[in-house]
Amino acid sequence: MTTKLRLPGRPEELTLPALLARNAAEYGALPALSWRTAGDWETLTWSEVRRKVALLASGYAALGVERGDHVLLMMGNRPEHWLSDLALVHLGAVPVTVYGTSAPQQIAHIARHSRARVAVVEGARELARWEPLLADSGVPLERLVVAEAAEAGPHRTYGSLYASGARLHRPEAFEKAWQETRPEDPLTVVYTSGTTGDPKGVRLTHRNILLQTVRLDRNVDLPEHAEHICYLPFAHIAERVLGIYLPLLRAAHVRLCADPTAVSGAVRELHPVQFFGVPRVWEKLAASVRAVLAQLPQEQRQAIEAANDLARARAGHRERGQAVPPALEASYARAKEQVLDPLLGLAGLDRLVWTASATAPMPIDVVRFWAGWGITIMDAWGLTETSGVCTVNSPDAFRLGSVGRPIEGLELRLAEDGEVLTRGATVFDGYLRPDGSVESAADGEGWFPTGDVGRLDEDGFLWLTDRKKELIITSNGKNVSPALVENTVKEHPLIGQALVHGDGRSYLVALLVLDPELAPAWAAARRIEAASLAELAEHPAVRAETARAVEAANARLNRTEQIKRYRLLTEEWGPDTGELTPSLKLRRRVIRDKYGDLIDGLYADSYDAP
């Protein structure tokens, strides 16, 4: 496995451009960035990346971008985005990626709050939301740059900006600019996804990020220069770390996946050694595998289940820090080679060395499912405000269902109400104010309240229960974790998504969404015909099975946590329709507002059970 690459200085004294300079000098011929062009992969080496970054930096400088300026980016995972981010950093400017699903009012808030004069957008879809801001006297935005030249209209194109950079480039000015950058300078501002109000601007420095990447890298043992499939939004701290900053540290190879819905195809093609997915991604992958398994002959399913049992038994020994018995290890090795790997290979998952998740509680049944395939998902936890990861499971120290132990240099403690507090050099120094200053969010001793509630076990592993602001307090004063209840009911294959409600009420109700992949497979296996999910939801067998799913979940929950009434929905929630954040977390307020009448009806005396 990997031998950690030489750093060009102490982590706390470095800036990101120093890593790119090292990569170009020492690993210049290695692939750095690839993306799809007309079906084929186009690739830049590390030396080519640095050359393009230098020319782009000159182009942005000619556009008037100066040190300290915020520049807004709204593009998908495409080379123009990745390269622009680095080019701006080399100028000492501050790239700020905006979620592509942001509503016009959110974009206006970020443009006003960040005081950005320049924004780089993808094409016509984005221009429709950005052009009105140019005429808004309350927004300092002056200029738009458009990646898709054919859709640019009167605006400057990315191509022309790059061409002007190539024409005006002065190597000595480029080198001087990045060498003047200090570790304490801002590297980026990441705006939170706004689940509870206006997005907040989290300012992160070079030092925050460099220390984060070095410490995270020490917890992961990968082949040198491993590939990373980059498909989550760059507006999220997870992909900024995994798709930009860690690859620079590792001189790794980034494969851009512009369409996040196509990631499973990329995995099938590339057979990566590492893969990161938010819980909803792992849930959907598991649902796809389960749907395929349901169609297999019973004899084959039994062989797979036996192999799954061996894999889980082996994972149990490793989880407890015990040596795996030789007989079990040998049986697992045969089962892996003969049963599991051939099936995993069809999905491109047969070469995985490191798999991880973060951003929301991972349902334990999903973790156990993948453990049965020899894939141990290393759940981690962190926030934008902590530069990403705070705690992480590692192959030599993990507890399935926990989010691991603190990374090096980070302290944790629990407040009296169970809220997790943290402090350390990777914790941000404050939220950006409209005047460019920052407002500290830590207390007098440097402890930052994360908003997450959890417990620490005797071995130092953190177990999260919920978000503090999302805890349900019933009318009789009982605290309930909605995520716990939702994940319990989602263990049934029919239920793909769930939202539990009950704040200030005497009992809980739920909105349940049929799984668009597993529900049809479940129905087909029982010879139930339905033209759509809506029709399937009305079928008596599906309604009866949903009732059994809720009943089974309730049997595992205490009385206060039990779902008393529910409604079954058929349209999957997503970022485009507003119910999920771009990182696939529930926007509870949006869902409650959208289905307010339906939720109120679940508390009505006239409620008609489904």
Side-chain angles (χ1 to χ4, degrees), residues 437-503:
S437 62
V438 294
E439 179 181 359
S440 176
D443 66 17
E445 296 180 345
W447 291 102
F448 170 67
T450 65
D452 281 305
V453 177
R455 63 179 177 85
L456 288 165
D457 68 19
E458 62 276 8
D459 296 317
F461 287 86
L462 179 64
W463 302 75
L464 295 181
T465 54
D466 223 310
R467 289 289 294 170
K468 186 174 180 179
K469 291 182 180 178
E470 293 176 359
L471 284 174
I472 293 171
I473 303 177
T474 63
S475 59
N476 57 7
K478 299 288 188 180
N479 285 2
V480 177
S481 162
L484 169 67
V485 180
E486 290 155 1
N487 286 339
T488 303
V489 75
K490 285 194 307 178
E491 290 185 18
H492 192 285
L494 274 184
I495 310 303
Q497 295 170 310
L499 177 129
V500 172
H501 179 79
D503 206 45

Side-chain angles (χ1 to χ4, degrees), residues 86 139 192 195 211 236 268 271 273 307 346 352 457 500 541:
L86 291 180
V139 176
T192 60
T195 55
L211 288 173
H236 194 281
R268 282 195 300 272
H271 295 256
V273 297
L346 297 176
L352 288 172
D457 68 19
V500 172

Side-chain angles (χ1 to χ4, degrees), residues 246-548:
L246 262 175
L248 278 161
L249 178 78
R250 295 170 172 165
H253 183 189
V254 177
R255 296 267 193 176
L256 296 174
C257 182
D259 179 5
T261 64
V263 66
S264 58
V267 172
R268 282 195 300 272
E269 175 190 359
L270 299 172
H271 295 256
V273 297
Q274 62 172 332
F275 185 75
F276 175 88
V278 296
R280 186 62 184 147
V281 169
W282 286 112
E283 287 178 312
K284 291 183 77 67
L285 286 172
S288 298
V289 174
R290 284 170 169 147
V292 172
L293 294 179
Q295 307 303 315
L296 296 178
Q298 183 178 1
E299 183 178 349
Q300 190 174 359
R301 289 203 309 272
Q302 288 174 339
I304 293 168
E305 289 168 3
N308 293 156
D309 289 341
L310 288 170
R312 291 191 188 97
R314 179 178 181 271
H317 284 281
R318 295 177 60 230
E319 182 179 7
R320 294 186 295 270
Q322 301 169 345
V324 180
L328 174 58
E329 187 66 49
S331 297
Y332 166 73
R334 285 193 300 272
K336 178 174 168 57
E337 179 182 358
Q338 297 171 11
V339 180
L340 300 180
D341 279 352
L343 293 170
L344 289 172
L346 297 176
L349 302 173
D350 52 320
R351 296 179 58 235
L352 288 172
V353 174
W354 180 78
T355 50
S357 182
T359 77
M362 172 71 88
I364 190 62
D365 72 303
V366 177
V367 176
R368 297 291 181 193
F369 173 84
W370 287 112
W373 291 83
I375 296 175
T376 305
I377 299 173
M378 299 299 172
D379 211 358
W381 165 74
L383 301 91
T384 306
E385 290 89 340
T386 59
S387 309
V389 166
C390 286
T391 63
V392 63
N393 282 287
S394 59
D396 58 350
F398 67 91
R399 296 288 186 275
L400 298 182
S402 84
V403 291
R405 290 167 165 165
I407 62 170
E408 176 190 346
L410 197 79
E411 296 178 83
L412 291 184
R413 72 177 178 86
L414 301 181
E416 289 185 7
D417 60 359
E419 183 176 8
V420 186
L421 311 178
T422 185
R423 68 179 178 185
T426 54
V427 179
F428 79 140
D429 58 0
Y431 293 108
L432 188 70
R433 293 190 180 109
D435 64 1
S437 62
V438 294
E439 179 181 359
S440 176
D443 66 17
E445 296 180 345
W447 291 102
F448 170 67
T450 65
D452 281 305
V453 177
R455 63 179 177 85
L456 288 165
D457 68 19
E458 62 276 8
D459 296 317
F461 287 86
L462 179 64
W463 302 75
L464 295 181
T465 54
D466 223 310
R467 289 289 294 170
K468 186 174 180 179
K469 291 182 180 178
E470 293 176 359
L471 284 174
I472 293 171
I473 303 177
T474 63
S475 59
N476 57 7
K478 299 288 188 180
N479 285 2
V480 177
S481 162
L484 169 67
V485 180
E486 290 155 1
N487 286 339
T488 303
V489 75
K490 285 194 307 178
E491 290 185 18
H492 192 285
L494 274 184
I495 310 303
Q497 295 170 310
L499 177 129
V500 172
H501 179 79
D503 206 45
R505 302 280 194 164
S506 59
Y507 58 88
L508 301 188
V509 300
L511 300 177
L512 308 178
V513 182
L514 282 180
D515 191 291
E517 295 173 349
L518 276 185
W522 182 92
R526 289 155 181 81
R527 294 185 171 86
I528 297 172
E529 295 184 4
S532 65
L533 280 179
E535 186 177 325
L536 196 59
E538 295 300 322
H539 195 281
V542 173
R543 292 162 71 91
E545 187 65 21
T546 302
R548 284 191 287 271

